[in-house]
Amino acid sequence: MTCGSARTATSQEGVDLYSSFAEIRKAARERADARVAIPMGYDAASLRALIEAASKGLASSVIVGPADRVTKTLEEMGEELPPQVDIVDCSDESEAALEAVRQVSRGEATVLMKGMLQTSTFLKAVLDKEVGLRSGGILSHVAVVHVPLQDRLVAITDGGMNIRPGRDEVVEIARNGAWVIKALGAERARVALLAAKEVVSDKMPETVLFGDVARDGIPGMDVCGPIAVDGAMDPDAARIKGMEGPVPGRANVLVAPDIACGNIFAKGFMYMTDAEVGGLIAGATAPVVMLSRSDKPATKLNSLALGVVVSGGSGA
């Protein structure tokens, strides 16, 4: 295991670091100009999240999709859209995705959220050369999880975009995760490059890769790897293992070695515990909330609030 840092970090996290999604939702309510654009957002889970976001003052929204399907779903739900939710009638998935992205790129909305459309269609619009949200870096998924045992938030990445990242991609993924956790108030990102053990072994290529990245360090953050989850998250485990430095036992960004590990890790929290989870795609010029169609309304609402807080809520 190697730990790299541009300085010796002895200070605790900033006093404004959010420790729960309740605090994130409260922060989102303070940004009254936040607006969400959601293509094909006619499903019940998305509509419940948008209605609740409006009723709680988290964000207004615009649905770009078929108005008749929105109306049908609302009738089945026994709900009505509040005045903070607008509809741009559009039945074509590709056109809806492009229009939603266009609203974000023009500053008319601050957060982009995926509705009931193919992920490939959604991402094609995000990366469109004319109206897309390209930033020059890679896109990566960041799941923010509330850890009940420690009553704090951590970012897990990347379980949704990059299949098997190489050295440069790992650095970008770490930077995206650091950007999210610092937007939530962390004074400094403490990045753990996760593996099954802390010893570099040729039989486990991720340990070699992570050891190299940690040795070289990443400017602006503390990095440690390879490191197992217990050493990264639990102070007692780190102490017993003889680990020192700002990351062991106190990591706030957990970087998985591949998409499978990141996906299983994050979804394990979602479906095997009662932990609260939210997530977004980082690395674009605006937060992109891209969830599974099976995600619960609470997860969608958490992710929406997360996107609002990270975006800063500067929409029209």
Side-chain angles (χ1 to χ4, degrees):
M1 181 190 73
T2 301
C3 292
S5 174
R7 61 166 173 80
T8 300
T10 57
S11 61
Q12 296 295 315
E13 297 207 346
V15 295
D16 294 327
L17 175 65
Y18 307 125
S19 62
S20 67
F21 276 98
E23 292 183 5
I24 290 176
R25 291 191 292 270
K26 180 181 178 181
R29 286 195 294 272
E30 296 172 357
R31 300 178 180 181
D33 54 353
R35 186 168 176 81
V36 178
I38 175 169
M40 310 306 279
Y42 55 78
D43 60 294
S46 294
L47 288 172
R48 284 197 182 95
L50 297 181
I51 291 170
E52 190 167 357
S55 67
K56 293 186 176 181
L58 300 180
S60 64
S61 55
V62 54
I63 300 167
V64 184
D68 57 342
R69 299 194 69 171
V70 173
T71 300
K72 180 180 179 181
T73 303
L74 288 169
E75 290 174 352
E76 293 171 350
M77 295 168 59
E79 297 276 2
E80 294 183 358
L81 283 185
Q84 299 95 325
V85 181
D86 298 318
I87 302 175
V88 174
D89 191 19
C90 181
S91 59
D92 183 88
E93 282 193 2
S94 296
E95 292 180 7
L98 280 172
E99 176 55 29
V101 170
R102 188 178 292 112
Q103 294 215 12
V104 176
S105 65
R106 289 191 303 225
E108 296 171 8
T110 57
V111 178
L112 179 69
M113 183 171 176
K114 178 178 173 289
M116 291 291 287
L117 72 166
Q118 293 293 323
T119 297
S120 58
T121 302
F122 182 72
L123 288 177
K124 183 178 180 181
V126 171
L127 297 174
D128 184 84
K129 292 182 179 179
E130 293 185 7
V131 303
L133 305 175
R134 292 172 177 264
S135 68
I138 69 168
L139 303 182
S140 55
H141 186 269
V142 181
V144 175
V145 178
H146 176 256
V147 183
L149 286 176
Q150 298 176 340
D151 192 25
R152 67 185 183 96
L153 298 173
V154 298
I156 300 173
T157 187
D158 168 16
M161 295 293 292
N162 298 279
I163 296 175
R164 194 167 288 105
R167 183 189 181 92
D168 292 343
E169 289 80 13
V170 167
V171 171
E172 289 296 316
I173 288 169
R175 284 177 176 154
N176 287 347
W179 174 69
V180 171
I181 205 69
K182 291 182 75 173
L184 297 179
E187 182 179 316
R188 189 168 176 85
R190 299 190 296 272
V191 179
L193 306 177
L194 297 181
K197 61 180 183 178
E198 288 80 21
V199 178
V200 173
S201 170
D202 290 338
K203 294 181 179 180
M204 303 176 73
E206 67 275 9
T207 65
V208 178
L209 172 61
F210 285 171
D212 288 345
V213 172
R215 183 187 63 246
D216 292 343
I218 305 175
M221 65 189 79
D222 301 314
V223 184
C224 194
I227 184 171
V229 173
D230 56 348
M233 290 295 296
D234 185 70
D236 289 335
R239 177 180 52 78
I240 292 169
K241 289 186 172 185
M243 298 176 179
E244 298 180 352
V247 177
R250 301 177 61 236
N252 54 21
V253 178
L254 307 177
V255 177
D258 56 42
I259 194 172
C261 290
N263 192 282
I264 293 168
F265 192 17
K267 286 187 176 178
F269 275 100
M270 293 174 64
Y271 294 103
M272 299 175 70
T273 76
D274 59 357
E276 286 197 279
V277 181
L280 51 76
I281 301 294
T285 57
V288 178
V289 177
M290 188 177 76
L291 299 166
S292 169
R293 286 171 290 182
S294 64
D295 282 332
K296 299 175 183 178
T299 300
K300 289 180 181 286
L301 183 65
N302 285 343
S303 301
L304 187 154
L306 178 65
V308 169
V309 171
V310 170
S311 73
S314 58

